[in-house]
Amino acid sequence: MKITEKIDVRFPRTLAEALRLQAGEQTRGKLLAGGTDLMVQWAAGVPAPERATSVWNLPELSAIEMAPDAIEIGAGVTHAFLRDCVQIRRHLPALVAAAATVGAAQIQSRGTLGGNAANASPAGDTAPALLVTGGSVVLASLSGRREVPLDRFWIDYRKIDARPDEIIVAFRLPPKGRAKERFRKIGTRRAQAISKVMAASRILVEKGRIVSAAIALGSVAPTPVRLAQVEAFLVGKKLSPKLIDEAEQLAQATVAPIADIRSSAEYRRWASGRLVRDALEHL
Amino acid sequence: MSTIRRTWKINGKTVAVRFPAGRRLLDVLREDLGLIGSKESCGEGECGACTVIVNDEPVVSCILPAGQLADGTEILTVEGIEKKRVGRLIQQAFIEVGAVQCGFCIPGMVVSSYALLCKNPKPSTKAIREGLAGNLCRCTGYTKIIAAVKLAASRIPAAKRT
Ligand SMILES: Cc1cc2nc3c(=O)[nH]c(=O)nc-3n(C[C@H](O)[C@H](O)[C@H](O)COP(=O)(O)OP(=O)(O)OC[C@H]3O[C@@H](n4cnc5c(N)ncnc54)[C@H](O)[C@@H]3O)c2cc1C
Ligand code: FES
Ligand code: FES
């Protein structure tokens, strides 16, 4: 018998049904969306749980709502959907670019935005793009809904601010407006490679001056991070080659990456600066 | 352990299946239904040998919990693709170009090529590389595989592209 067959997977048809299962300790299961992280972990020997609760295709997790102040994207929306959705691309281009770099076509068909965020890998590609929107995560449980700002959602290595009875239902993401967004990922090869470092940015320049700046990096810390120091340094300044040099150096000085199988600390530090430069050179 | 039932449309035929709730789609296809065209190589979603098409999207069946596919789901495997016009063009092109060495990756390559050509019947080399990025081949070096997909695409009549 294959390892995943030891798991009692339940397939609720509605969010309400799933929330009821998750509310009780005896019925609660590991949440299973597209399974592109979990099924691999279980195949690779991570102990399988007794129970799992499938949230794949729950209608309440599949919706997209476009309001002027925020685009609400269901946690169950796949990377393939984001990759192909022209309207979302217009307002959240960095997120769409990030989704298009997750694995390859087969993984994008199944991998969800909620799964990528909840998996909370520092190398999760959509996290920096979510972070620069300044948006929030919507969580549901039987006791109601709550919203957590994304910059407080990833609390530690593979730890998120969600209770065991909660399910992520959506992400509320303010559109970029007149700002420019960019996403760049550095991996071993272009496709199907986990990132060594990646960056997302949302920067507004008016009359040559930086009005607002949000820059986030992945794979340089236990969680995805905003570069608050670099952002504060940039705001109010005139864009110039000298400013870009200084921002690059500041970025290198503020990150404290580690070495692992994918990259060295030195390379990650250097690449962090280059990615900040790249964002500023493309405004 | 609970057993579940599903009724899907596999390669155009309605099929009812029963399986343990945590079974992988690949095992249902190969072991329960005898559709052994889909191969298992890495078992971890990396290589694409087990690629099938579910509701028009390519997926890797080795990491797909079969129970998540609702009744009425349409599944196309390499066995079904062989019977499609574009599928036959792909097959013929792989043979003519000599794109096959050991052959283990080829069912997955054919399925991904089919998924690609259904969406984009005239793909650029870059689009072919991207469309096949989730399929690994340890023998050929990809050059002939890409040439085969190009040849197949060149033979798709403009009006009949599925
Ligand atoms: C070959 C391959 C290549 C990959 N390449 C990349 C890559 O380039 N970049 C990248 O970022 N990732 C990559 N991944 C990882 C994975 O595909 C993504 O992280 C994907 O978005 C996970 O989504 P999922 O729906 O499959 O999650 P699942 O595996 O179903 O779940 C992942 C985690 O999220 C939790 N979860 C899922 N949904 C919810 C919810 N609604 N509420 C609360 N918790 C939830 C689960 O309990 C689990 O802990 C790759 C995976 C494979 C197999
Ligand atoms: S066997 Fe499924 S991707 Fe390799
Ligand atoms: S022909 Fe041998 S793996 Fe591709």
Side-chain angles (χ1 to χ4, degrees):
Chain A
M1 188 164 74
K2 303 270 161 50
I3 197 76
T4 60
E5 291 180 20
K6 300 201 173 111
I7 307 169
D8 189 8
V9 189
R10 279 82 38 86
F11 302 93
R13 281 162 194 262
T14 63
L15 176 63
E17 207 185 313
L19 290 175
R20 274 197 298 279
L21 286 171
Q22 295 308 94
E25 264 177 56
Q26 302 308 312
T27 53
R28 181 176 298 160
K30 181 77 183 159
L31 294 172
L32 178 65
T36 61
D37 274 309
L38 286 178
M39 294 290 283
V40 175
Q41 289 163 18
W42 295 330
V46 172
E50 213 173 300
R51 290 180 301 275
T53 302
S54 174
V55 291
W56 175 256
N57 245 350
L58 284 185
E60 298 88 343
L61 267 54
S62 309
I64 308 260
E65 270 177 55
M66 310 274 253
D69 62 324
I71 297 170
E72 198 166 307
I73 302 179
V77 168
T78 62
H79 301 300
F81 184 91
L82 292 172
R83 177 194 68 205
D84 297 338
C85 182
V86 187
Q87 279 124 310
I88 297 179
R89 180 188 307 250
R90 181 140 44 95
H91 299 294
L92 300 165
L95 179 65
V96 169
T101 70
V102 174
Q106 294 97 319
I107 300 302
Q108 290 164 11
S109 306
R110 294 279 309 173
T112 64
L113 191 56
N116 200 228
N119 192 53
S121 156
D125 278 317
T126 61
L130 290 171
L131 268 178
V132 297
T133 68
S136 56
V137 183
V138 184
L139 298 142
S141 70
L142 275 193
S143 40
R145 291 193 175 217
R146 73 184 174 107
E147 220 171 301
V148 180
L150 278 155
D151 57 9
R152 277 187 263 144
F153 178 65
W154 291 285
I155 47 188
D156 203 346
Y157 180 70
R158 290 193 174 269
K159 271 221 177 81
I160 55 172
D161 179 2
R163 297 192 312 262
D165 64 331
E166 284 181 316
I167 295 176
I168 303 172
V169 287
F171 298 84
R172 286 180 54 80
L173 309 172
K176 74 175 181 63
R178 283 171 299 131
K180 267 216 167 148
E181 281 198 352
R182 194 163 167 83
F183 175 83
R184 280 294 295 274
K185 159 173 173 173
I186 301 175
T188 307
R189 65 178 192 128
R190 276 200 47 211
Q192 198 111 305
I194 304 297
S195 298
K196 294 172 191 282
V197 192
M198 69 286 200
S201 54
R202 175 183 284 195
I203 301 172
L204 178 61
V205 180
E206 268 172 4
K207 298 195 184 105
R209 212 171 274 283
I210 297 174
V211 178
S212 64
I215 305 174
L217 297 183
S219 283
V220 298
T223 65
V225 286
R226 283 273 293 262
L227 295 184
Q229 264 178 283
V230 179
E231 295 171 2
F233 167 75
L234 288 170
V235 171
K237 301 227 168 66
K238 263 209 161 3
L239 196 58
S240 70
K242 182 166 165 283
L243 185 78
I244 295 178
D245 288 344
E246 287 170 0
E248 177 181 355
Q249 282 161 18
L250 185 59
Q252 286 171 347
T254 50
V255 296
I258 57 158
D260 63 13
I261 48 163
R262 282 192 292 279
S263 193
S264 67
E266 294 75 17
Y267 178 77
R268 286 195 163 112
R269 180 184 296 282
W270 177 82
S272 299
R274 298 306 283 185
L275 286 171
V276 168
R277 163 178 291 279
D278 170 79
L280 294 167
E281 282 179 346
H282 284 86
L283 289 171
Chain B
M1 202 52 44
S2 52
T3 302
I4 53 172
R5 296 161 194 273
R6 293 285 184 269
T7 305
W8 300 322
K9 212 164 176 188
I10 305 182
N11 298 332
K13 273 207 312 232
T14 300
V15 178
V17 275
R18 285 187 59 178
F19 51 83
R23 197 157 171 83
R24 309 177 310 164
L25 177 62
L26 181 63
D27 299 323
V28 177
L29 293 174
R30 285 182 58 89
E31 292 173 15
D32 302 345
L33 298 170
L35 292 166
I36 57 173
S38 309
K39 303 295 180 224
E40 174 157 16
S41 185
C42 69
E44 297 186 3
E46 287 280 348
C47 76
C50 63
T51 303
V52 299
I53 296 176
V54 170
N55 293 339
D56 297 329
E57 296 278 359
V59 299
V60 275
S61 58
C62 69
I63 54 170
L64 198 156
Q68 289 184 332
L69 303 186
D71 287 339
T73 297
E74 293 195 18
I75 301 168
L76 198 54
T77 70
V78 70
E79 288 90 346
I81 286 171
E82 193 186 28
K83 302 199 178 78
K84 302 264 185 187
R85 160 196 290 271
V86 170
R88 277 196 303 268
L89 290 175
I90 294 168
Q91 189 181 41
Q92 189 58 35
F94 270 70
I95 294 167
E96 279 177 40
V97 169
V100 182
Q101 290 188 25
C102 82
F104 209 76
C105 70
I106 298 299
M109 288 288 179
V110 169
V111 176
S112 284
S113 302
Y114 182 82
L116 171 70
L117 293 182
C118 286
K119 283 194 182 163
N120 180 2
K122 289 283 171 268
S124 61
T125 304
K126 182 166 172 277
I128 297 173
R129 284 181 172 280
E130 272 170 19
L132 299 183
N135 292 77
L136 301 183
C137 173
R138 298 289 83 170
C139 303
T140 66
Y142 303 102
T143 306
K144 289 196 171 183
I145 290 176
I146 291 161
V149 178
K150 277 218 154 135
L151 179 63
S154 74
R155 290 172 174 168
I156 300 177
K160 290 181 180 157
R161 283 182 168 166
T162 47

